[in-house]
Amino acid sequence: MQRTVAITGGHGVLGRAVLEAAVKGGWQVAVIDHASGHAVPDGVLEVGGVDLTDAGQAQKAVDAVIARFGRLDALLNIAGGFVWQTTDDAEPAWDRMHALNVATAVNASRAALDALKASPEGRIVNVGSAAALKAGAGMGAYGAAKAGVHALTQALAEELKTTTVTVNAVLPSIIDTPANRKEMPDADPATWVAPADLAAVILFLASPESRAMTGALVPVTGRV
């Protein structure tokens, strides 16, 4: 039977790369995103207009996935947000970064737990950040939020050790996206992480072959 994966933030650059790789790999795929109306491949379920910072909306979105496919084997928490901001900024983004990166992952994970426990090989894969290991100037709010994702990953892995569910996270450095190229025109994107390469690591962690890993924070840092 085909494994089913739900991708939060599936309309973003990384989410789209994971979506395309999952379809190619034979997964049944659902995209959960705040955006809606984007084209998706045939057979892919789009659950759009979802605010994952709201636990009720997260639950309804996951329920829609299960109603369509009858199962859920992997949840990929890719939804998130980024801001570069020094601590003395007039409009601090710390709460917003926590909501977009931590609350979304918590709410989606809680909503999916029962279904994932029913899977023979349930998986949760979160997206942390190498910036949370050593935050540079302007990375405080974002780094703190991603550190929260790391802690969530490790704590939830421990809580689920008696189940079939594993919980891991990837910790990318700079991802090669159009936005990052625009913001850093003098940088060399060849040293960054290609979305397709990061997608491959995420889907490995979502696969049965990763069963010996849980609570892992996996650096994916390209050539930086």
Side-chain angles (χ1 to χ4, degrees):
M1 184 176 291
Q2 284 181 292
R3 284 173 61 78
T4 299
V5 59
I7 306 169
T8 74
H11 287 321
V13 174
L14 176 57
R16 188 72 187 192
V18 175
L19 163 63
E20 292 172 356
V23 170
K24 185 176 181 180
W27 291 75
Q28 296 183 133
V29 181
V31 171
I32 300 173
D33 204 297
H34 190 268
S36 61
H38 289 247
V40 295
D42 290 343
V44 172
L45 172 66
E46 183 200 32
V47 186
V50 180
D51 179 3
L52 288 171
T53 67
D54 181 278
Q57 291 191 41
Q59 187 65 63
K60 288 181 180 178
V62 170
D63 288 348
V65 176
I66 298 168
R68 167 70 175 272
F69 296 114
R71 60 186 291 160
L72 180 61
D73 301 285
L75 171 68
L76 312 182
N77 284 314
I78 297 176
F82 172 80
V83 66
W84 188 95
Q85 181 186 81
T86 55
T87 307
D88 61 355
D89 192 278
E91 298 181 5
W94 292 69
D95 289 346
R96 179 160 59 93
M97 286 296 94
H98 183 276
L100 291 176
N101 292 286
V102 183
T104 56
V106 171
N107 289 338
S109 297
R110 284 171 54 87
L113 278 180
D114 286 346
L116 293 173
K117 288 177 183 177
S119 169
E121 299 275 2
R123 301 285 183 266
I124 296 174
V125 184
N126 297 322
V127 178
S129 175
L133 301 178
K134 184 178 181 181
M139 299 294 281
Y142 176 74
K146 288 301 189 181
V149 173
H150 300 177
L152 168 66
T153 300
Q154 294 172 321
L156 193 52
E158 288 296 318
E159 293 165 13
L160 296 173
K161 272 193 171 178
T162 60
T163 75
T164 62
V165 183
T166 64
V167 189
N168 296 289
V170 292
L171 278 57
S173 54
I174 301 172
I175 302 174
D176 187 2
T177 67
N180 283 335
R181 288 192 179 215
K182 181 179 179 180
E183 291 296 323
M184 294 174 276
D186 297 326
D188 179 7
T191 65
W192 298 348
V193 179
D197 291 338
L198 184 53
V201 178
I202 290 172
L203 286 177
F204 167 72
L205 294 174
S207 73
E209 286 73 20
S210 68
R211 64 178 60 88
M213 300 174 65
T214 195
L217 305 178
V218 183
V220 187
T221 55
R223 291 165 41 205
V224 174

mmCIF file of all heavy atoms in Angstrom, residues 138-184:
data_model
loop_
_atom_site.group_PDB
_atom_site.id
_atom_site.type_symbol
_atom_site.label_atom_id
_atom_site.label_comp_id
_atom_site.label_asym_id
_atom_site.label_seq_id
_atom_site.Cartn_x
_atom_site.Cartn_y
_atom_site.Cartn_z
ATOM 1 N N GLY A 138 21.411 39.714 13.960
ATOM 2 C CA GLY A 138 20.152 39.777 13.251
ATOM 3 C C GLY A 138 19.406 38.467 13.174
ATOM 4 O O GLY A 138 18.310 38.406 12.604
ATOM 5 N N MET A 139 19.969 37.414 13.747
ATOM 6 C CA MET A 139 19.352 36.090 13.656
ATOM 7 C C MET A 139 18.751 35.623 14.979
ATOM 8 O O MET A 139 18.389 34.461 15.123
ATOM 9 C CB MET A 139 20.396 35.074 13.187
ATOM 10 C CG MET A 139 20.981 35.367 11.813
ATOM 11 S SD MET A 139 19.758 35.234 10.494
ATOM 12 C CE MET A 139 19.707 33.454 10.328
ATOM 13 N N GLY A 140 18.628 36.530 15.931
ATOM 14 C CA GLY A 140 18.144 36.144 17.252
ATOM 15 C C GLY A 140 16.741 35.576 17.250
ATOM 16 O O GLY A 140 16.490 34.487 17.767
ATOM 17 N N ALA A 141 15.786 36.319 16.679
ATOM 18 C CA ALA A 141 14.388 35.873 16.700
ATOM 19 C C ALA A 141 14.206 34.589 15.915
ATOM 20 O O ALA A 141 13.542 33.646 16.375
ATOM 21 C CB ALA A 141 13.489 36.982 16.138
ATOM 22 N N TYR A 142 14.776 34.548 14.731
ATOM 23 C CA TYR A 142 14.664 33.350 13.899
ATOM 24 C C TYR A 142 15.392 32.177 14.533
ATOM 25 O O TYR A 142 14.857 31.056 14.607
ATOM 26 C CB TYR A 142 15.236 33.642 12.514
ATOM 27 C CG TYR A 142 15.258 32.456 11.594
ATOM 28 C CD1 TYR A 142 14.075 31.977 11.009
ATOM 29 C CD2 TYR A 142 16.447 31.807 11.288
ATOM 30 C CE1 TYR A 142 14.105 30.885 10.148
ATOM 31 C CE2 TYR A 142 16.482 30.724 10.430
ATOM 32 C CZ TYR A 142 15.305 30.267 9.869
ATOM 33 O OH TYR A 142 15.335 29.188 9.013
ATOM 34 N N GLY A 143 16.621 32.418 15.002
ATOM 35 C CA GLY A 143 17.395 31.345 15.613
ATOM 36 C C GLY A 143 16.733 30.788 16.852
ATOM 37 O O GLY A 143 16.730 29.569 17.087
ATOM 38 N N ALA A 144 16.145 31.653 17.661
ATOM 39 C CA ALA A 144 15.460 31.191 18.863
ATOM 40 C C ALA A 144 14.256 30.324 18.509
ATOM 41 O O ALA A 144 13.991 29.302 19.156
ATOM 42 C CB ALA A 144 15.020 32.383 19.705
ATOM 43 N N ALA A 145 13.529 30.731 17.471
ATOM 44 C CA ALA A 145 12.374 29.934 17.046
ATOM 45 C C ALA A 145 12.811 28.569 16.543
ATOM 46 O O ALA A 145 12.205 27.535 16.885
ATOM 47 C CB ALA A 145 11.601 30.685 15.960
ATOM 48 N N LYS A 146 13.848 28.522 15.737
ATOM 49 C CA LYS A 146 14.320 27.244 15.224
ATOM 50 C C LYS A 146 14.929 26.384 16.333
ATOM 51 O O LYS A 146 14.842 25.153 16.295
ATOM 52 C CB LYS A 146 15.314 27.462 14.090
ATOM 53 C CG LYS A 146 14.659 27.955 12.800
ATOM 54 C CD LYS A 146 13.596 26.985 12.279
ATOM 55 C CE LYS A 146 13.102 27.346 10.902
ATOM 56 N NZ LYS A 146 12.056 26.427 10.392
ATOM 57 N N ALA A 147 15.522 27.010 17.340
ATOM 58 C CA ALA A 147 15.978 26.248 18.503
ATOM 59 C C ALA A 147 14.793 25.591 19.195
ATOM 60 O O ALA A 147 14.888 24.465 19.708
ATOM 61 C CB ALA A 147 16.731 27.156 19.474
ATOM 62 N N GLY A 148 13.651 26.280 19.182
ATOM 63 C CA GLY A 148 12.434 25.681 19.713
ATOM 64 C C GLY A 148 12.002 24.475 18.909
ATOM 65 O O GLY A 148 11.519 23.477 19.464
ATOM 66 N N VAL A 149 12.172 24.539 17.586
ATOM 67 C CA VAL A 149 11.858 23.388 16.741
ATOM 68 C C VAL A 149 12.779 22.218 17.080
ATOM 69 O O VAL A 149 12.351 21.062 17.125
ATOM 70 C CB VAL A 149 11.973 23.762 15.248
ATOM 71 C CG1 VAL A 149 11.815 22.531 14.360
ATOM 72 C CG2 VAL A 149 10.931 24.813 14.886
ATOM 73 N N HIS A 150 14.051 22.515 17.338
ATOM 74 C CA HIS A 150 14.991 21.455 17.720
ATOM 75 C C HIS A 150 14.549 20.793 19.026
ATOM 76 O O HIS A 150 14.565 19.558 19.153
ATOM 77 C CB HIS A 150 16.399 22.026 17.892
ATOM 78 C CG HIS A 150 16.954 22.662 16.662
ATOM 79 N ND1 HIS A 150 18.197 23.282 16.633
ATOM 80 C CD2 HIS A 150 16.458 22.786 15.403
ATOM 81 C CE1 HIS A 150 18.425 23.750 15.416
ATOM 82 N NE2 HIS A 150 17.383 23.467 14.656
ATOM 83 N N ALA A 151 14.176 21.613 20.001
ATOM 84 C CA ALA A 151 13.745 21.071 21.290
ATOM 85 C C ALA A 151 12.464 20.256 21.137
ATOM 86 O O ALA A 151 12.310 19.193 21.764
ATOM 87 C CB ALA A 151 13.541 22.209 22.296
ATOM 88 N N LEU A 152 11.537 20.741 20.327
ATOM 89 C CA LEU A 152 10.313 19.988 20.057
ATOM 90 C C LEU A 152 10.651 18.628 19.461
ATOM 91 O O LEU A 152 10.097 17.602 19.862
ATOM 92 C CB LEU A 152 9.421 20.772 19.093
ATOM 93 C CG LEU A 152 8.238 20.008 18.479
ATOM 94 C CD1 LEU A 152 7.235 19.621 19.555
ATOM 95 C CD2 LEU A 152 7.577 20.831 17.381
ATOM 96 N N THR A 153 11.567 18.610 18.510
ATOM 97 C CA THR A 153 11.964 17.368 17.850
ATOM 98 C C THR A 153 12.493 16.360 18.861
ATOM 99 O O THR A 153 12.080 15.192 18.880
ATOM 100 C CB THR A 153 13.042 17.658 16.787
ATOM 101 O OG1 THR A 153 12.501 18.561 15.811
ATOM 102 C CG2 THR A 153 13.509 16.389 16.114
ATOM 103 N N GLN A 154 13.385 16.807 19.708
ATOM 104 C CA GLN A 154 14.002 15.895 20.666
ATOM 105 C C GLN A 154 13.018 15.431 21.734
ATOM 106 O O GLN A 154 12.983 14.244 22.093
ATOM 107 C CB GLN A 154 15.212 16.573 21.303
ATOM 108 C CG GLN A 154 16.332 16.832 20.297
ATOM 109 C CD GLN A 154 17.453 17.670 20.865
ATOM 110 O OE1 GLN A 154 17.217 18.623 21.629
ATOM 111 N NE2 GLN A 154 18.680 17.343 20.517
ATOM 112 N N ALA A 155 12.197 16.359 22.236
ATOM 113 C CA ALA A 155 11.235 15.993 23.274
ATOM 114 C C ALA A 155 10.181 15.028 22.734
ATOM 115 O O ALA A 155 9.847 14.020 23.374
ATOM 116 C CB ALA A 155 10.564 17.249 23.832
ATOM 117 N N LEU A 156 9.648 15.332 21.542
ATOM 118 C CA LEU A 156 8.611 14.480 20.975
ATOM 119 C C LEU A 156 9.165 13.104 20.620
ATOM 120 O O LEU A 156 8.477 12.086 20.772
ATOM 121 C CB LEU A 156 8.011 15.156 19.742
ATOM 122 C CG LEU A 156 6.715 14.572 19.174
ATOM 123 C CD1 LEU A 156 5.646 14.420 20.244
ATOM 124 C CD2 LEU A 156 6.210 15.451 18.031
ATOM 125 N N ALA A 157 10.411 13.050 20.188
ATOM 126 C CA ALA A 157 11.037 11.759 19.912
ATOM 127 C C ALA A 157 11.075 10.898 21.174
ATOM 128 O O ALA A 157 10.793 9.689 21.128
ATOM 129 C CB ALA A 157 12.443 11.962 19.358
ATOM 130 N N GLU A 158 11.415 11.508 22.285
ATOM 131 C CA GLU A 158 11.448 10.762 23.547
ATOM 132 C C GLU A 158 10.051 10.313 23.952
ATOM 133 O O GLU A 158 9.853 9.184 24.407
ATOM 134 C CB GLU A 158 12.064 11.631 24.651
ATOM 135 C CG GLU A 158 13.559 11.833 24.520
ATOM 136 C CD GLU A 158 14.334 10.534 24.652
ATOM 137 O OE1 GLU A 158 14.001 9.716 25.531
ATOM 138 O OE2 GLU A 158 15.285 10.329 23.876
ATOM 139 N N GLU A 159 9.084 11.199 23.772
ATOM 140 C CA GLU A 159 7.712 10.869 24.165
ATOM 141 C C GLU A 159 7.126 9.731 23.341
ATOM 142 O O GLU A 159 6.243 9.005 23.806
ATOM 143 C CB GLU A 159 6.836 12.118 24.025
ATOM 144 C CG GLU A 159 7.201 13.224 25.020
ATOM 145 C CD GLU A 159 6.593 14.576 24.659
ATOM 146 O OE1 GLU A 159 5.697 14.620 23.784
ATOM 147 O OE2 GLU A 159 7.032 15.589 25.236
ATOM 148 N N LEU A 160 7.612 9.559 22.118
ATOM 149 C CA LEU A 160 7.040 8.571 21.206
ATOM 150 C C LEU A 160 7.897 7.320 21.053
ATOM 151 O O LEU A 160 7.635 6.489 20.183
ATOM 152 C CB LEU A 160 6.819 9.210 19.830
ATOM 153 C CG LEU A 160 5.797 10.347 19.781
ATOM 154 C CD1 LEU A 160 5.784 11.008 18.416
ATOM 155 C CD2 LEU A 160 4.402 9.831 20.132
ATOM 156 N N LYS A 161 8.897 7.145 21.904
ATOM 157 C CA LYS A 161 9.812 6.016 21.751
ATOM 158 C C LYS A 161 9.146 4.657 21.903
ATOM 159 O O LYS A 161 9.657 3.654 21.403
ATOM 160 C CB LYS A 161 10.978 6.142 22.737
ATOM 161 C CG LYS A 161 12.138 6.949 22.171
ATOM 162 C CD LYS A 161 13.382 6.800 23.001
ATOM 163 C CE LYS A 161 14.588 7.437 22.300
ATOM 164 N NZ LYS A 161 15.813 7.341 23.123
ATOM 165 N N THR A 162 8.027 4.600 22.577
ATOM 166 C CA THR A 162 7.337 3.312 22.734
ATOM 167 C C THR A 162 6.332 3.073 21.612
ATOM 168 O O THR A 162 5.594 2.092 21.650
ATOM 169 C CB THR A 162 6.610 3.249 24.087
ATOM 170 O OG1 THR A 162 5.646 4.315 24.160
ATOM 171 C CG2 THR A 162 7.598 3.369 25.239
ATOM 172 N N THR A 163 6.309 3.944 20.619
ATOM 173 C CA THR A 163 5.392 3.807 19.479
ATOM 174 C C THR A 163 6.199 3.511 18.213
ATOM 175 O O THR A 163 7.425 3.377 18.253
ATOM 176 C CB THR A 163 4.564 5.091 19.266
ATOM 177 O OG1 THR A 163 5.399 6.109 18.674
ATOM 178 C CG2 THR A 163 4.011 5.609 20.585
ATOM 179 N N THR A 164 5.515 3.455 17.091
ATOM 180 C CA THR A 164 6.182 3.238 15.802
ATOM 181 C C THR A 164 6.647 4.551 15.179
ATOM 182 O O THR A 164 7.213 4.546 14.085
ATOM 183 C CB THR A 164 5.225 2.562 14.817
ATOM 184 O OG1 THR A 164 4.094 3.427 14.585
ATOM 185 C CG2 THR A 164 4.736 1.225 15.354
ATOM 186 N N VAL A 165 6.421 5.671 15.859
ATOM 187 C CA VAL A 165 6.677 6.987 15.272
ATOM 188 C C VAL A 165 8.076 7.485 15.633
ATOM 189 O O VAL A 165 8.470 7.458 16.802
ATOM 190 C CB VAL A 165 5.633 8.020 15.741
ATOM 191 C CG1 VAL A 165 5.859 9.364 15.059
ATOM 192 C CG2 VAL A 165 4.221 7.517 15.460
ATOM 193 N N THR A 166 8.814 7.939 14.631
ATOM 194 C CA THR A 166 10.091 8.610 14.883
ATOM 195 C C THR A 166 9.954 10.089 14.541
ATOM 196 O O THR A 166 9.109 10.474 13.731
ATOM 197 C CB THR A 166 11.234 8.010 14.048
ATOM 198 O OG1 THR A 166 10.981 8.233 12.657
ATOM 199 C CG2 THR A 166 11.370 6.515 14.312
ATOM 200 N N VAL A 167 10.797 10.892 15.179
ATOM 201 C CA VAL A 167 10.767 12.345 14.978
ATOM 202 C C VAL A 167 12.198 12.833 14.781
ATOM 203 O O VAL A 167 13.052 12.633 15.654
ATOM 204 C CB VAL A 167 10.138 13.077 16.179
ATOM 205 C CG1 VAL A 167 9.915 14.549 15.850
ATOM 206 C CG2 VAL A 167 8.838 12.419 16.608
ATOM 207 N N ASN A 168 12.457 13.442 13.644
ATOM 208 C CA ASN A 168 13.788 13.963 13.343
ATOM 209 C C ASN A 168 13.661 15.343 12.711
ATOM 210 O O ASN A 168 12.566 15.758 12.321
ATOM 211 C CB ASN A 168 14.527 13.020 12.391
ATOM 212 C CG ASN A 168 14.788 11.664 13.025
ATOM 213 O OD1 ASN A 168 15.617 11.538 13.930
ATOM 214 N ND2 ASN A 168 14.080 10.629 12.561
ATOM 215 N N ALA A 169 14.783 16.031 12.599
ATOM 216 C CA ALA A 169 14.776 17.356 11.974
ATOM 217 C C ALA A 169 15.997 17.526 11.090
ATOM 218 O O ALA A 169 17.074 16.988 11.387
ATOM 219 C CB ALA A 169 14.754 18.454 13.029
ATOM 220 N N VAL A 170 15.823 18.269 10.014
ATOM 221 C CA VAL A 170 16.958 18.694 9.196
ATOM 222 C C VAL A 170 17.329 20.110 9.607
ATOM 223 O O VAL A 170 16.472 20.920 9.958
ATOM 224 C CB VAL A 170 16.627 18.639 7.693
ATOM 225 C CG1 VAL A 170 16.445 17.206 7.242
ATOM 226 C CG2 VAL A 170 15.390 19.473 7.345
ATOM 227 N N LEU A 171 18.633 20.400 9.569
ATOM 228 C CA LEU A 171 19.145 21.715 9.950
ATOM 229 C C LEU A 171 19.912 22.304 8.765
ATOM 230 O O LEU A 171 21.134 22.188 8.679
ATOM 231 C CB LEU A 171 20.067 21.614 11.166
ATOM 232 C CG LEU A 171 19.445 21.546 12.561
ATOM 233 C CD1 LEU A 171 18.476 20.386 12.708
ATOM 234 C CD2 LEU A 171 20.542 21.445 13.615
ATOM 235 N N PRO A 172 19.196 22.904 7.819
ATOM 236 C CA PRO A 172 19.888 23.467 6.657
ATOM 237 C C PRO A 172 20.578 24.776 6.988
ATOM 238 O O PRO A 172 20.216 25.487 7.929
ATOM 239 C CB PRO A 172 18.754 23.689 5.660
ATOM 240 C CG PRO A 172 17.550 23.918 6.524
ATOM 241 C CD PRO A 172 17.736 23.030 7.722
ATOM 242 N N SER A 173 21.576 25.069 6.171
ATOM 243 C CA SER A 173 22.166 26.410 6.178
ATOM 244 C C SER A 173 21.353 27.232 5.174
ATOM 245 O O SER A 173 20.127 27.108 5.121
ATOM 246 C CB SER A 173 23.649 26.345 5.828
ATOM 247 O OG SER A 173 23.844 25.660 4.594
ATOM 248 N N ILE A 174 21.972 28.037 4.369
ATOM 249 C CA ILE A 174 21.230 28.854 3.409
ATOM 250 C C ILE A 174 20.704 27.971 2.286
ATOM 251 O O ILE A 174 21.458 27.207 1.685
ATOM 252 C CB ILE A 174 22.113 29.975 2.835
ATOM 253 C CG1 ILE A 174 22.629 30.875 3.963
ATOM 254 C CG2 ILE A 174 21.326 30.804 1.818
ATOM 255 C CD1 ILE A 174 23.663 31.884 3.508
ATOM 256 N N ILE A 175 19.415 28.076 2.008
ATOM 257 C CA ILE A 175 18.800 27.310 0.931
ATOM 258 C C ILE A 175 18.794 28.169 -0.331
ATOM 259 O O ILE A 175 18.526 29.376 -0.280
ATOM 260 C CB ILE A 175 17.367 26.892 1.309
ATOM 261 C CG1 ILE A 175 17.393 26.053 2.601
ATOM 262 C CG2 ILE A 175 16.718 26.086 0.179
ATOM 263 C CD1 ILE A 175 16.010 25.724 3.141
ATOM 264 N N ASP A 176 19.091 27.544 -1.446
ATOM 265 C CA ASP A 176 19.147 28.269 -2.720
ATOM 266 C C ASP A 176 17.729 28.542 -3.224
ATOM 267 O O ASP A 176 17.117 27.711 -3.884
ATOM 268 C CB ASP A 176 19.936 27.452 -3.749
ATOM 269 C CG ASP A 176 20.171 28.226 -5.042
ATOM 270 O OD1 ASP A 176 19.758 29.397 -5.122
ATOM 271 O OD2 ASP A 176 20.765 27.647 -5.970
ATOM 272 N N THR A 177 17.216 29.712 -2.893
ATOM 273 C CA THR A 177 15.881 30.128 -3.318
ATOM 274 C C THR A 177 15.981 31.454 -4.064
ATOM 275 O O THR A 177 16.951 32.205 -3.893
ATOM 276 C CB THR A 177 14.952 30.327 -2.114
ATOM 277 O OG1 THR A 177 15.424 31.452 -1.338
ATOM 278 C CG2 THR A 177 14.907 29.080 -1.229
ATOM 279 N N PRO A 178 14.994 31.781 -4.887
ATOM 280 C CA PRO A 178 15.002 33.084 -5.562
ATOM 281 C C PRO A 178 15.100 34.252 -4.584
ATOM 282 O O PRO A 178 15.794 35.244 -4.857
ATOM 283 C CB PRO A 178 13.680 33.079 -6.325
ATOM 284 C CG PRO A 178 13.410 31.633 -6.600
ATOM 285 C CD PRO A 178 13.894 30.915 -5.364
ATOM 286 N N ALA A 179 14.420 34.143 -3.456
ATOM 287 C CA ALA A 179 14.453 35.229 -2.473
ATOM 288 C C ALA A 179 15.855 35.421 -1.912
ATOM 289 O O ALA A 179 16.328 36.560 -1.745
ATOM 290 C CB ALA A 179 13.465 34.948 -1.348
ATOM 291 N N ASN A 180 16.546 34.314 -1.600
ATOM 292 C CA ASN A 180 17.893 34.431 -1.055
ATOM 293 C C ASN A 180 18.873 34.965 -2.096
ATOM 294 O O ASN A 180 19.799 35.715 -1.766
ATOM 295 C CB ASN A 180 18.360 33.079 -0.512
ATOM 296 C CG ASN A 180 17.724 32.759 0.828
ATOM 297 O OD1 ASN A 180 17.315 33.658 1.568
ATOM 298 N ND2 ASN A 180 17.609 31.484 1.144
ATOM 299 N N ARG A 181 18.679 34.571 -3.342
ATOM 300 C CA ARG A 181 19.551 35.119 -4.398
ATOM 301 C C ARG A 181 19.353 36.623 -4.539
ATOM 302 O O ARG A 181 20.314 37.373 -4.762
ATOM 303 C CB ARG A 181 19.277 34.416 -5.722
ATOM 304 C CG ARG A 181 19.783 32.983 -5.760
ATOM 305 C CD ARG A 181 19.756 32.418 -7.160
ATOM 306 N NE ARG A 181 20.269 31.049 -7.185
ATOM 307 C CZ ARG A 181 20.974 30.546 -8.196
ATOM 308 N NH1 ARG A 181 21.252 31.303 -9.256
ATOM 309 N NH2 ARG A 181 21.387 29.296 -8.162
ATOM 310 N N LYS A 182 18.111 37.064 -4.408
ATOM 311 C CA LYS A 182 17.825 38.495 -4.513
ATOM 312 C C LYS A 182 18.424 39.268 -3.347
ATOM 313 O O LYS A 182 18.975 40.367 -3.526
ATOM 314 C CB LYS A 182 16.315 38.713 -4.575
ATOM 315 C CG LYS A 182 15.906 40.170 -4.722
ATOM 316 C CD LYS A 182 14.397 40.319 -4.806
ATOM 317 C CE LYS A 182 13.986 41.781 -4.935
ATOM 318 N NZ LYS A 182 12.509 41.927 -5.014
ATOM 319 N N GLU A 183 18.308 38.704 -2.134
ATOM 320 C CA GLU A 183 18.792 39.385 -0.938
ATOM 321 C C GLU A 183 20.315 39.372 -0.839
ATOM 322 O O GLU A 183 20.907 40.248 -0.205
ATOM 323 C CB GLU A 183 18.187 38.732 0.316
ATOM 324 C CG GLU A 183 16.695 38.969 0.487
ATOM 325 C CD GLU A 183 16.367 40.433 0.689
ATOM 326 O OE1 GLU A 183 17.151 41.131 1.367
ATOM 327 O OE2 GLU A 183 15.342 40.895 0.163
ATOM 328 N N MET A 184 20.955 38.364 -1.445
ATOM 329 C CA MET A 184 22.412 38.219 -1.332
ATOM 330 C C MET A 184 23.030 38.083 -2.724
ATOM 331 O O MET A 184 23.551 37.023 -3.092
ATOM 332 C CB MET A 184 22.753 37.011 -0.451
ATOM 333 C CG MET A 184 22.324 37.187 0.990
ATOM 334 S SD MET A 184 22.572 35.700 2.006
ATOM 335 C CE MET A 184 21.068 34.779 1.621
#
